Amino acid sequence: MFSRGINAFAVLSLVTVLAGCNNPSAGHDAARAYDPFEARNRENHELNKKLDNAFVRPAGNGYVKVVPKPVQKGVSNFSANLAMPSLVVNNLLQGRLGKAGKNTLRFALNTTIGLGGLVDAAGEFKLYEEDTDFGETLHVWGFKEGAYVELPVLGPSTERDSVGKVVDLFTNPLSYILPSPEKYIGTGASVASRLGDRGTYAETLDSVLYDSADSYAQARAIYIQNRRFELGQEATEADPFELNTQGF
């Protein structure tokens, strides 16, 4: 009970900090990323590239070569199913009861007839995942995007989404229900699933990270445009190599 109180206090503290996030000035072009921390972000980007080149890319390529496709799919399904209660919590916090009900039913079907989530049984009934996170919840509540940041290990984000990533560590009810070491199975499955994604999309990711004239600007543009699209904001067609912080 005491640890849950600490978690709740941490969440409230983070949301309070978020209210003071950097925001663009009135003259800021909404089609561009607001990047006042570019120097530090570029340092983190180079660190992330080194980690990817040394560990993540080889592990991802090895994973997709060694592990059979059906097993990869099962692990990915299992990981997504264990994360589903967190989506339901965020659906409810956003006031989207229909999506919460859909995700709850999907979780129930996949956990039972889907063999604990290894099989996407709900998908056979065209009951697909309504993806979300606490970063989107903060967007619904009216918090601004804030500055673009690239986090060590975690990669591209914004000030708002960085807070969301931390809060999402505490929003899955299963983390409080499952005993140890069972609660860590989901973490292992999530890591394996992400390695699978790295290996599956290796050509595209390598093109961005290692073949781009400016991989930082490319990654920043892709993240910002994709994230704004996910949140229902206006998509932009800005050239990622022309994005910069001049005039902000």
Side-chain angles (χ1 to χ4, degrees):
M1 180 65 71
F2 178 70
S3 63
R4 292 189 189 182
I6 293 178
N7 290 344
F9 176 77
V11 169
L12 290 174
S13 298
L14 284 168
V15 172
T16 300
V17 170
L18 185 66
C21 282
N22 288 287
N23 287 304
S25 64
H28 171 64
D29 182 353
R32 297 171 179 265
Y34 178 55
D35 193 0
F37 310 125
E38 182 171 352
R40 175 58 61 85
N41 285 338
R42 284 186 177 273
E43 292 178 0
N44 290 337
H45 181 73
E46 290 304 314
L47 171 63
N48 288 336
K49 284 179 64 175
K50 290 178 180 178
L51 292 174
D52 178 77
N53 189 51
F55 302 107
V56 182
R57 180 166 63 166
N61 290 338
Y63 179 83
V64 296
K65 289 180 179 178
V66 174
V67 179
K69 290 289 185 181
V71 176
Q72 294 179 39
K73 183 63 175 176
V75 170
S76 180
N77 289 341
F78 181 72
S79 173
N81 192 57
L82 287 180
M84 192 63 62
S86 180
L87 305 190
V88 174
V89 169
N90 279 299
N91 290 146
L92 292 172
L93 291 174
Q94 295 162 16
R96 294 167 173 168
L97 302 184
K99 291 185 177 182
K102 184 176 180 180
N103 278 338
T104 299
L105 181 56
R106 178 178 169 80
F107 177 72
L109 287 173
N110 283 348
T111 301
T112 53
I113 63 177
L115 304 177
L118 292 173
V119 178
D120 184 11
E124 297 299 320
F125 297 97
K126 300 188 183 303
L127 193 64
Y128 302 116
E129 176 184 290
E130 294 288 350
D131 194 21
T132 189
D133 51 49
F134 197 75
E136 182 173 3
T137 297
L138 292 171
H139 166 70
V140 172
W141 289 354
F143 287 96
K144 301 300 183 182
E145 181 179 87
Y148 174 79
V149 293
E150 177 150 349
L151 303 170
V153 181
L154 297 179
S157 187
T158 61
E159 289 182 298
R160 179 179 62 201
D161 285 343
S162 297
V163 172
K165 291 177 189 295
V166 175
V167 175
D168 274 327
L169 296 174
F170 309 110
T171 56
N172 194 330
L174 293 181
S175 64
Y176 303 103
I177 297 174
L178 294 176
S180 297
E182 287 82 355
K183 67 171 60 179
Y184 301 114
I185 294 176
T187 302
S190 178
V191 171
S193 178
R194 291 180 182 276
L195 287 178
D197 289 340
R198 181 62 181 89
T200 299
Y201 303 107
E203 184 174 347
T204 299
L205 293 172
D206 288 349
S207 176
V208 172
L209 292 176
Y210 305 109
D211 299 332
S212 300
D214 186 346
S215 61
Y216 172 76
Q218 180 84 323
R220 178 182 61 189
I222 291 172
Y223 178 82
I224 290 294
Q225 292 181 20
N226 183 65
R227 184 56 168 165
R228 289 174 181 174
F229 176 80
E230 289 177 342
L231 298 178
Q233 296 173 295
E234 184 178 355
T236 68
E237 299 295 335
D239 183 346
F241 296 106
E242 294 181 356
L243 296 178
N244 57 63
T245 57
Q246 294 180 2
F248 288 178

